[in-house]
Amino acid sequence: LGDDLYISRDRFTLIKGDGHMGYTKGFERIDSFGRGGNDVAELHGTTGDDKFISTDKYAALITEFRITYTKGFESLSAHAVAGGTDTAHYFGLLSGDEFTGAGNLAAVARAITSRTASAYGFEKVDIYASEDESPELTLAAIDYILNEDIVWV
């Protein structure tokens, strides 16, 4: 129960925390779980078509090489790599949650869990609120196509 760092690249993963470090290579699916403290996850895409999914319960990055599933991290970032068509999907936004878009950043701060999920460099970003919910929006000039199904506050 410390401040763990989880990094997933196109062909390997690394997790580092208080008194431990682990490395994996060649797995088609990796499941990682934050367990208290200030856990941070970095997910990096590939040159193919990658898909990032973020909900209030979990996040995942799906690439041509693997599926990386994460749950319980206080801060999570997904980074697209040039090549392919990369899409980020944010589901289940609630009133009090905040979507921020600026440049190549698309981020959601979840009010109830105090967790953040940020996507960088994705060509398309889809965001969906839960029924009858109205999250907040902070939007500047963006470098991606934004599709939304939300009544904004």
Side-chain angles (χ1 to χ4, degrees):
L1 296 180
D3 298 338
D4 296 329
L5 173 63
Y6 173 79
I7 299 172
S8 175
R9 296 272 182 183
D10 63 346
R11 297 187 188 264
F12 73 89
T13 60
L14 172 75
I15 189 159
K16 180 179 168 188
D18 295 337
H20 68 276
M21 187 165 100
Y23 174 86
T24 65
K25 185 174 182 178
F27 287 86
E28 293 175 358
R29 179 176 169 141
I30 302 288
D31 294 356
S32 58
F33 302 91
R35 296 179 30 182
N38 187 26
D39 299 329
V40 175
E42 294 179 15
L43 309 179
H44 295 266
T46 67
T47 56
D49 297 339
D50 301 331
K51 182 189 298 188
F52 173 63
I53 298 169
S54 175
T55 75
D56 61 334
K57 305 261 188 269
Y58 71 92
L61 182 64
I62 302 164
T63 74
E64 63 183 303
F65 299 112
R66 81 161 56 109
I67 298 171
T68 303
Y69 172 88
T70 64
K71 185 174 182 177
F73 287 85
E74 283 71 29
S75 177
L76 181 135
S77 61
H79 303 266
V81 176
T85 301
D86 302 319
T87 305
H89 305 273
Y90 290 97
F91 294 101
L93 276 71
L94 303 173
S95 297
D97 292 348
E98 183 175 358
F99 176 84
T100 301
N104 72 352
L105 167 68
V108 169
R110 305 273 182 176
I112 293 175
T113 62
S114 298
R115 293 189 172 127
T116 60
S118 304
Y120 296 90
F122 286 78
E123 284 82 18
K124 295 193 293 186
V125 175
D126 299 330
I127 49 179
Y128 303 95
S130 295
E131 189 173 342
D132 297 326
E133 298 288 337
S134 298
E136 297 177 29
L137 170 69
T138 303
L139 193 62
I142 55 175
D143 299 340
Y144 49 85
I145 298 168
L146 177 64
N147 299 308
E148 42 84 17
D149 184 19
I150 295 179
V151 175
W152 294 105
V153 174

